[in-house]
Every structure is written in structure tokens, then in C-alpha cells.
Amino acid sequence: MASTVGNGHGRLSSSEGVRRLFDDDSSPCVNTSDVNRLISVENAKILALVIVIGAMLYHGIIRYRYGTDSCQWLLENGRFQGYGIWQPYGCMMHKFSKSDSLNCMRYISYWGGKNDIAFVGDSRIRQLYYEFIGLLSNEEIPSQKKHEGLHFIDPKSSVQVRFIWSPLLNASMLNVYDKWIGEKPDARPKIIITGCATWPIKKYNASEDAYLSFKHNLTFLVPKFQKLTESTKIIWMIQDPVVESQLNPNRSMITNRQIDLYNRAAYEQLVSTSVHVWSSSRLIAQGYTRESIDGLHAGKNTITWDVQILLNMYCNDHMNFNDGTCCTTVETATTTQLVMAMVFILSFVIMVVMAIWHYKSCLFKAGHGGTPVLSDDAADGSHCADSTAAPPSADVTEDAVTVGNATEGKKPDWVWEIATSLSRLGLIMLYFFLCDRTTFFMKENKYYTHMNFFLPFSYLMILGLFFTENTKQTSILHRDITDEWKGWMQLVILIYHLTGASNVLPIYMQIRVMVSSYLFLSGFGHFYYFFTKGDHSFHRFLMVLVRMNFLVITLCLVMNRPYQFYYFVPLVSYWFVVVYLFMTVWPRVSVASVESNSLHYLFMVLKFAALAAAITLTYSSEVFFEKIFLIHPLRALFVSADDSISDWRFRWSLDRYSTLYGMLFAFGMLIGRRLKIFNDVNGESVLESRRLTWLLCLLSAVGIGVYGTFTALCQTKQQCNSVHSYITFIPILSYLCLRNLRGWLRTKYSAFFAWFGRVSLELFIGQYHIWLAADTHGLLVLIPGYPVMNVVVTSFVFVCISHDIHCITERLVPYLVPDDCRRLARNIVCLTVAFLPLAVSRGILFST
């Protein structure tokens, strides 16, 4: 399966190559080539850092040259993601429905605003007017082709939309603006959409005099625009191209060459003013020329997208839609975010001071006959020691750092490791903040096609299979297999989120199975550990909880999002607590206890029955559910940003039995192993009977097929979700049997998938802000204009950062949860005092 390449010292298998690339602890050695020295995670992280710095410089230059106003991007540029899907340049556009439009107008009116919008121009502008009010009126308004003004008023929403017929840039149009200038600012329209060109071309038969007159009259119009822009946003719509072959003979003089002349004249006059020149509408029209009604007027799709652009410009900053970032202002930094910034800055200062002090200490010793030596684990100069001093130890604790001659001149490694880890974490959090709490980096809407989903899916599956290698582990669901399982599932989930495939029901249900599989593996792993090790210590409990929640808690503080926003970690944390209590509460059952008393098997069965009954009761009674999860201070862990528990109830209910399934499988596997029903000690088939093995494989394949058929036939998400928790064990156990029954399959695994599986938690959470954007509703853009290259680059940076967060977590968690009881108690008290002001300010401790 694995190919080989020459490395100058024999043959290097492809799996060894990927292991070197993906191995956390890989380090250059004497026998490796220069190329293999360069292929390492640390070098990949350096490259990712260079890419991020380059992207920051590039986007900084863009903002310096073209400004930071995303409204300007919305109105000026964009592209089609696919047929019929318009993507503005650099920001996300919300698709407004009629209810969204009405809610926007009512919201603005509720806060004292006035929805006064005017359309001034010819029949092309009139098309926009009718489409616009069509989203504001509950009644159908028939379009009229009269050369006169139109009016729409909705007192409930304080909406007034006017169309003023003014197809020529002459005294009549100038008088319209003079009238508004004479009014008080609050009586003027909030937005004016205007533009013209086709009428003067037609009326004066595309004469040069008409063109020169248009340019001349623009010089009178611009000062009036400038006066109005103090209170009114004015948008000049660049004229759409015409389809000359479809034009009526009496419009044959309206050519695209003439249109371009008039557009250029308007742009030259208005580009340096406060007027917004709307040119993206022309780009949209160019994509829909075949839909033109008569060669002059735009088709339905063009007008629809034009109105969507207007509504995004007008409403986004008021409504805060998750998928609409155009024309929005950034969130104001909270006190908590500022405090976190100070903590990271302080850590960075401590790191720099220690590095400078130690560097000077090395120079001093070198000047007095010592030889400064860099330790092996500090090639960047962060550690050094002379020839008479012992190198810094990687496991130095507080007790090892004493004052006296024995440690004089030796840097306290625990302080250095904490400071450097927090400094790295601070830089990573800065990148998170820039990506998703500012408009510094661009964002785009997701776009699903079958090709977009299945092409990267197929590529990654082939790549994963290519890097297949042998493993010495032979037990069912051993570590390499579970890492591989989590890895490929995580990659599929990432593709699912990247492409926005949630609306494709069969794919949605397969992803639901993958989330259930994570919880299944969590229940399996935790039960297996507690049952075989008998370790129910509080230290073990805290270690697991802190390890799972370290990144999420940090992001809650830095990104100003509730804990429930990162729903997966609360879910796995909750079920870990359930498993811990299940195994810890009397009667405790373990391998040791069942060996001494077989009656303990019955105790475990009774505990399983009680747990299943408790889960069912909690699900059946909404009142009981809320009484459990809305108790202070626990409610802060389960409510969303709008103080609702509905999201948690949905997530909890959807996979309420998945962890229990994993626990039951682990229990059954341990019983089967003890009764010698199967044998997974060696690399042979688990079952002695070949017929039974093939029968189970056949049933497993049928099980996967049956579930796939169910997802294809299921009509709605609600219908599918209602039975998901009862049947999700079918595809899970089917895959598990196919993967583990045969020895030749059980003793091989994909090093590629397993590597991703080891950092799956960081990948799942990190994608929210530095791969996706707008809290998962869009895509991060580091390289605008090149979507495929952008996905490759953002993915590379995202994976490198996720791995680094994984490493930082592994280094910091032992300091947060030390194995010494006194230090652990000290840390709990310190963290409680530190978080107490935050808990009080947000009403976590007491109901309000």
C-alpha cells in the first residue's frame, strides 16, 4: 500500500514520510537527509507564520489604498461563485426574505429611525423601486410603466419609498435635489438611488452634443450631491449593458459603447466625492444578459440581486445577521477581552525579560572562562548553559527551583515554559481576534455544490489510504484505530462546514452519525479506563475536564462568546461527567471487583438500566429538563447568547444515547474478552469461526446500506432527527465490526488520519474563527480573488495553529492541574478568585 522513495540511506516508506511530517516529537537526526530535516511540524508552523505575516501586510496595504468601508466593496466589486450566486468582494451578503426586510424597517423605526428611501431616474431605476417595495408590502403591487412618480407608505414600519420620474440629467432633475436641499436634514430621504443615461442617448440619437451636455450638467449636480450627503447617502447606479440584438428598432442607438461613455463621465465626476458609485450592479447584469426582457431592462435575477445589495447596505448594521458582514461595524471590545489582552502581554514581557537576562548571563559566563551551550530543546536560544552547569530539565517543578548556590544562574524552567506558552497562545488568540472580531481579513459566503463537497472528500480519502501502515496494537478499537476514526470523521466534518452542506439532508444525517460516533468513542474510552484502571481520583477528573475545555474557555473570554456557542465541548464534557459519576457512585464496579465477586456484573447492569431510565425521563419531561440545566450557576454553561436553552436541549436530545451505547459496547467487549468469546490478543481474526465472521461483516455492510437508504428516503430534518438517537448505533456498530473483525484490517491504520485524530478537538473548535468566518457562517479570505488557493492556504495555517494549540494545552494543563493536592487546591482558589468578578458581573452566581 505504501510506496517508497530513496533517501540516501536506504528506502523510506511513504508512511514513514508522513509520520515524520505529522509526528509531534520528530526531530532532525544525523542519518536523515536535508530534505527530511525540513519536513517537520515545526517548520510547517514557521511557514504558516510567514504566510500570516504576509497576509497581514497584504490586507493592510489593501486597506491603506482602498479604504476599510465594506459598503464600498459591496457596491463596487464581486464575482459569481456559481450560476446565480453573487459574492461581493471581501464581505458576506445576507439573503433577505420579506420577513427579514420588514423586521429591519420595524427595528429601525422602533429605535426612532425613519425609513425614507427615494429612487430617482428612468425605467431602469423604476424596476428597482418595484422589486424593493415588493419585499416590504404584504400585498402584491403590480408594476406600471407610466412616466410619473410613485409612492409607497407603510405607517406600521414607518416606511416611505418614493420613485421620482426623472430620466434626463437636466433642470428638472436638478430641481428635485434643490427641493431636498431646502428642507431640514431630518425631512430628507435617508438614501437616494439614482442614475440615468439611456434616455438622453435615445432622445438625442446618441449625439455628441447630448453626451457633452450630460457631462456639463454633472458639474452642476455634484455640488448638490455634496450638500445632501451630510444627511443622506446617495448612490449613483452605473448603467447596465444592453443586449443590442434584442433592442427595439427605436432604441437601436443605445449601444454599449454609448453606455460606457456615459458611465465613464459619471464615474470621473463622482469618484472623488462622497457619492457612492454603484458598479457591482453592472457586473451582475453582465452575468444575466440572456434574461433581459427587451435588451434594455434587466431580468428578474439581476434586479433581485440589486435589491439584496441595497438591503444589505441599509439593514446589516442594524440587524446583525450572522451571514451578513457587509456594511457592519465591529464589536466593541469588552472589559474581559481587555483583561485577557493584558494577561498575554504580561506573559510576553516576562518571556522577553527572562530571555534577555539569561542571554546576558550566558555572555557573562563566557567572558569568565565558561562555554555557553544551548540545550537540545532550545535551539532558538531560549535556553543555554555553560559546560559546568546541568542543562535545564523539561520536568522542573516549583519545588526544584530554590534559592542558593546550587541553582544560582539557573533559569526557573517552569516560569519560562508558562510564559512562553502563554505568549504563543496570546499571538494565536490575536490571530483569532483579527480573523473573526474585526474586518481586517475578508470574509465570503459559503457555496455548496456536489463537486465542492465530493472532490475534496475523495482526495482526502485517497490520501488517507495512501499513508497506510502497520501497527503493533491488536485489540479491538485500539488507540491507532480510534485516532484514525476521529481523524477521517473530523476531516469530513470540516468539508461539510466549509461547503455549507447542511441543507443536503443525506449528508446532514451522515454528519450527525459522525458526531454520535465521537460521543460513542468518548463513552467507550472513559468507561474502559475507569473499569480497567479503577482510577476515580479527583485529579484525573479535573485533568480530563481542563484538557477538553482549555481552548473553549480561552475563546469564550477572548472572542466574547458564551460557552454553549462551542456546543460540542459542552456536550462531551457533560457526558464525561455523567460517565465519571456513573463509575464513581456506589457500588463501584471494576475489573478487580468483578474478579473477586461476579455479582458486581449484576450491579453494573442495574446501573446501566438506571442511567437509561434517567436519560429517558429527562428527555420526556421538558420541565424536569429545565429544572436540571437552569439551576444557578450551572445555567450559564447551557444557555445560548439569547439566554435560551433550546439549542442545548436540541443537541443533548439528538445524541442522548450515544455515550451510553459506547459504554455498553465497552462493557460487552470486556465481558466477551473475559469469557473468551473472542480473541483480539494477536493479529488474527477476532472470532474463530470464519463463517460467523463473514456473516457479521455481511450484516454490517447491510446495516450501513440500510442507514444510507433511510437518510435518502427521509423527507425532513425534523423527521430524521426524531429517530436518529434510536438507530444511530446501527451504522456505528456496523463500521466498528467491519474495521475490527478481520485481523489484517485491525493491524493496519492510516497515519494521515490518525494524526488529524489526535488534534481533532482543536480542529473542531478552531474552525469556528480561523478557517470559517463570522462564527462559522462564512469563509475566511486571506487571498481574495483566488478561492481554491485561498482554501489551501487558510487550511494549512488553520491546521498548523490547531496543532500548536494542542501542544500548548499539553504543556499548560499539568501546571493548571498539578498532581500535588496542595498546589491543586491553591490553583482552584486562585482561579475562583480570578473568575469571581466575571461571574458576578454576568449574573452567573445569582438569578436576576
Side-chain angles (χ1 to χ4, degrees):
M1 178 67 72
S3 63
T4 58
V5 294
N7 65 353
H9 300 279
R11 306 287 286 177
L12 174 67
S13 70
S14 61
S15 57
E16 289 171 349
V18 78
R19 177 182 288 277
R20 179 167 292 136
L21 176 60
F22 295 136
D23 192 0
D24 302 9
D25 303 319
S26 62
S27 59
C29 59
V30 177
N31 293 327
T32 56
S33 65
D34 292 338
V35 174
N36 288 328
R37 285 177 180 271
L38 296 175
I39 303 177
S40 68
V41 171
E42 290 306 316
N43 287 337
K45 292 176 184 178
I46 294 173
L47 178 58
L49 177 62
V50 172
I51 291 173
V52 170
I53 293 174
M56 292 176 66
L57 291 174
Y58 175 70
H59 284 263
I61 293 171
I62 289 177
R63 275 151 181 74
Y64 177 77
R65 293 188 60 182
Y66 304 110
T68 60
D69 186 5
S70 58
C71 273
Q72 183 178 347
W73 304 344
L74 175 68
L75 294 172
E76 288 187 355
N77 205 350
R79 61 181 174 84
F80 282 101
Q81 288 184 319
Y83 184 76
I85 305 296
W86 179 253
Q87 173 59 58
Y89 179 78
C91 63
M92 296 165 56
M93 189 166 72
H94 176 71
K95 187 71 177 292
F96 276 82
S97 62
K98 181 171 288 190
S99 60
D100 290 338
S101 306
L102 288 172
N103 287 337
C104 167
M105 302 300 166
R106 290 166 184 166
Y107 181 87
I108 294 173
S109 174
Y110 176 82
W111 291 104
K114 185 179 68 169
N115 301 302
D116 190 350
I117 301 166
F119 293 83
V120 181
D122 55 15
S123 56
R124 287 181 155 188
I125 299 295
R126 185 175 60 201
Q127 279 186 288
L128 285 178
Y129 165 80
Y130 277 118
E131 182 69 22
F132 191 87
I133 63 174
L135 287 175
L136 301 178
S137 174
N138 291 319
E139 299 177 359
E140 185 175 351
I141 301 176
S143 18
Q144 305 175 23
K145 297 184 178 180
K146 296 180 180 179
H147 297 170
E148 60 184 30
L150 301 167
H151 216 122
F152 173 81
I153 297 178
D154 182 7
K156 294 181 180 179
S157 305
S158 185
V159 174
Q160 177 180 229
V161 185
R162 290 173 274 180
F163 169 71
I164 299 174
W165 175 258
S166 185
L168 296 171
L169 181 48
N170 54 17
S172 176
M173 180 179 283
L174 297 176
N175 290 336
V176 172
Y177 294 102
D178 284 332
K179 181 181 177 181
W180 280 327
I181 291 172
E183 295 176 349
K184 294 181 179 179
D186 58 354
R188 299 170 183 169
K190 293 299 179 185
I191 297 180
I192 298 173
I193 299 97
T194 186
C196 65
T198 57
W199 265 70
I201 295 172
K202 176 186 174 183
K203 185 172 182 178
Y204 299 106
N205 199 28
S207 67
E208 186 176 354
D209 290 341
Y211 169 68
L212 295 175
S213 176
F214 179 83
K215 289 184 66 176
H216 180 70
N217 289 340
L218 274 172
T219 61
F220 293 103
L221 186 61
V222 169
K224 302 180 188 301
F225 280 167
Q226 289 291 76
K227 291 181 181 179
L228 284 173
T229 51
E230 298 174 2
S231 58
T232 303
K233 178 176 286 188
I234 299 177
I235 300 172
W236 181 276
M237 186 176 182
I238 292 293
Q239 293 294 300
D240 297 342
V242 296
V243 184
E244 298 179 13
S245 61
Q246 296 182 20
L247 289 173
N248 192 287
N250 64 356
R251 294 172 176 168
S252 60
M253 70 291 296
I254 306 176
T255 64
N256 285 320
R257 180 178 178 276
Q258 287 290 319
I259 293 283
D260 291 342
L261 284 173
Y262 279 74
N263 282 339
R264 189 178 298 111
Y267 182 81
E268 290 173 353
Q269 289 287 337
L270 299 173
V271 67
S272 58
T273 68
S274 301
V275 177
H276 296 271
V277 179
W278 185 7
S279 56
S280 61
S281 61
R282 177 180 173 84
L283 299 176
I284 296 173
Q286 288 173 343
Y288 288 109
T289 53
R290 295 181 180 179
E291 297 185 4
S292 178
I293 302 169
D294 52 13
L296 177 66
H297 298 96
K300 175 66 175 176
N301 283 320
T302 300
I303 300 302
T304 298
W305 282 115
D306 287 346
V307 170
Q308 289 294 327
I309 288 174
L310 292 177
L311 287 170
N312 273 265
M313 180 197 65
Y314 186 69
C315 294
N316 278 0
D317 204 30
H318 300 284
M319 301 303 293
N320 294 322
F321 292 111
N322 291 323
D323 60 346
T325 62
C326 298
C327 304
T328 57
T329 54
V330 298
E331 297 179 9
T332 304
T334 64
T335 302
T336 303
Q337 289 172 308
L338 295 176
V339 170
M340 289 299 296
M342 294 303 297
V343 170
F344 290 130
I345 291 173
L346 179 61
S347 300
F348 186 78
V349 171
I350 293 174
M351 181 191 71
V352 171
V353 170
M354 292 182 68
I356 294 174
W357 172 81
H358 198 61
Y359 178 72
K360 290 184 176 180
S361 176
C362 291
L363 291 179
F364 176 79
K365 292 179 180 180
H368 288 74
T371 303
V373 178
L374 288 178
S375 63
D376 293 336
D377 59 344
D380 58 351
S382 57
H383 293 84
C384 64
D386 62 26
S387 57
T388 60
S393 172
D395 58 352
V396 174
T397 61
E398 292 177 88
D399 291 340
V401 181
T402 57
V403 178
N405 294 331
T407 57
E408 184 178 357
K410 182 178 178 180
K411 183 169 54 181
D413 285 12
W414 66 273
V415 177
W416 172 257
E417 187 168 28
I418 292 175
T420 52
S421 297
L422 287 178
S423 298
R424 291 182 77 145
L425 183 62
L427 290 176
I428 291 172
M429 289 300 109
L430 175 62
Y431 180 68
F432 270 79
F433 190 86
L434 285 176
C435 288
D436 215 22
R437 287 297 169 268
T438 70
T439 58
F440 186 79
F441 291 120
M442 299 177 183
K443 302 170 179 64
E444 286 188 355
N445 295 88
K446 298 178 181 180
Y447 174 60
Y448 176 83
T449 65
H450 292 318
M451 178 67 73
N452 285 353
F453 180 86
F454 287 105
L455 184 62
F457 171 82
S458 302
Y459 176 76
L460 288 174
M461 292 302 107
I462 294 172
L463 194 62
L465 292 175
F466 181 77
F467 291 111
T468 299
E469 63 180 43
N470 296 323
T471 176
K472 295 180 180 179
Q473 302 182 63
T474 62
S475 61
I476 295 175
L477 279 184
H478 58 71
R479 181 61 180 269
D480 287 333
I481 284 183
T482 55
D483 285 342
E484 175 199 86
W485 192 355
K486 290 187 292 184
W488 71 257
M489 288 193 302
Q490 182 58 60
L491 291 175
V492 175
I493 291 174
L494 290 176
I495 298 171
Y496 168 81
H497 287 151
L498 176 73
T499 57
S502 59
N503 292 326
V504 183
L505 192 54
I507 297 178
Y508 167 82
M509 290 308 300
Q510 298 296 340
I511 298 301
R512 295 269 60 82
V513 171
M514 293 178 191
V515 174
S516 300
S517 299
Y518 273 100
L519 294 173
F520 177 94
L521 290 173
S522 176
F524 171 86
H526 294 312
F527 179 91
Y528 189 91
Y529 177 86
F530 288 126
F531 192 84
T532 57
K533 303 295 184 181
D535 179 9
H536 304 88
S537 66
F538 186 61
H539 175 263
R540 161 75 183 179
F541 173 75
L542 282 184
M543 278 287 288
V544 175
L545 273 185
V546 173
R547 170 69 185 85
M548 288 192 294
N549 287 271
F550 178 80
L551 174 59
V552 165
I553 296 299
T554 304
L555 288 176
C556 288
L557 299 174
V558 172
M559 306 301 286
N560 191 30
R561 286 297 177 267
Y563 179 64
Q564 192 56 221
F565 175 75
Y566 308 94
Y567 73 91
F568 182 72
V569 169
L571 203 58
V572 294
S573 299
Y574 168 80
W575 287 113
F576 167 70
V577 173
V578 169
V579 175
Y580 178 78
L581 293 177
F582 177 86
M583 299 299 293
T584 303
V585 172
W586 185 90
R588 291 186 181 180
V589 182
S590 64
V591 169
S593 68
V594 297
E595 287 179 353
S596 60
N597 187 353
S598 297
L599 190 61
H600 279 217
Y601 281 120
L602 177 61
F603 293 159
M604 182 59 73
V605 171
L606 293 176
K607 291 177 78 171
F608 273 123
L611 177 59
I615 293 172
T616 304
L617 175 63
T618 306
Y619 169 74
S620 302
S621 174
E622 186 173 350
V623 175
F624 185 59
F625 184 90
E626 292 182 354
K627 283 185 177 295
I628 294 175
F629 295 110
L630 291 181
I631 299 175
H632 281 278
L634 295 180
R635 65 172 291 140
L637 302 176
F638 303 112
V639 296
S640 54
D642 58 357
D643 206 37
S644 170
I645 202 172
S646 58
D647 286 346
W648 169 248
R649 179 172 175 80
F650 170 74
R651 302 289 183 185
W652 183 92
S653 301
L654 201 59
D655 291 303
R656 58 187 180 275
Y657 296 120
S658 298
T659 303
L660 178 60
Y661 293 148
M663 297 165 65
L664 285 170
F665 179 81
F667 184 55
M669 187 187 75
L670 290 167
I671 293 177
R673 186 178 292 165
R674 174 169 181 160
L675 298 178
K676 298 182 180 180
I677 297 175
F678 62 85
N679 179 17
D680 61 351
V681 175
N682 51 40
E684 302 298 327
S685 179
V686 169
L687 301 173
E688 292 184 4
S689 173
R690 293 187 60 185
R691 289 184 178 182
L692 183 58
T693 298
W694 282 111
L695 177 62
L696 288 177
C697 289
L698 177 62
L699 291 176
S700 299
V702 170
I704 293 176
V706 167
Y707 186 83
T709 304
F710 162 74
T711 61
L713 298 177
C714 196
Q715 299 297 317
T716 63
K717 285 185 179 180
Q718 185 176 5
Q719 180 186 3
C720 293
N721 290 337
S722 63
V723 298
H724 169 75
S725 61
Y726 302 108
I727 65 173
T728 188
F729 71 90
I730 296 175
I732 293 175
L733 290 181
S734 297
Y735 173 81
L736 192 153
C737 288
L738 289 174
R739 187 67 181 85
N740 289 270
L741 284 178
R742 305 295 297 175
W744 64 272
L745 276 175
R746 200 172 63 255
T747 55
K748 293 183 181 295
Y749 78 108
S750 169
F752 180 80
F753 289 145
W755 187 90
F756 283 97
R758 295 182 193 107
V759 294
S760 58
L761 181 66
E762 290 76 15
L763 289 170
F764 194 96
I765 302 304
Q767 66 170 321
Y768 279 63
H769 303 296
I770 60 171
W771 195 52
L772 306 176
D775 295 335
T776 75
H777 293 91
L779 305 177
L780 177 67
V781 178
L782 297 181
I783 305 178
Y786 299 90
V788 176
M789 183 180 296
N790 178 71
V791 169
V792 173
V793 170
T794 55
S795 300
F796 176 75
V797 174
F798 160 59
V799 170
C800 289
I801 289 178
S802 297
H803 183 271
D804 206 45
I805 294 174
H806 175 82
C807 297
I808 290 171
T809 303
E810 293 295 327
R811 286 195 292 267
L812 289 180
V813 167
Y815 291 109
L816 288 171
V817 189
D819 53 7
D820 181 78
C821 294
R822 290 176 300 173
R823 294 183 201 148
L824 179 59
R826 176 204 62 192
N827 288 358
I828 292 175
V829 171
C830 291
L831 289 174
T832 302
V833 171
F835 281 98
L836 189 61
L838 177 64
V840 173
S841 65
R842 300 197 177 186
I844 294 176
L845 296 180
F846 310 102
S847 59
T848 56

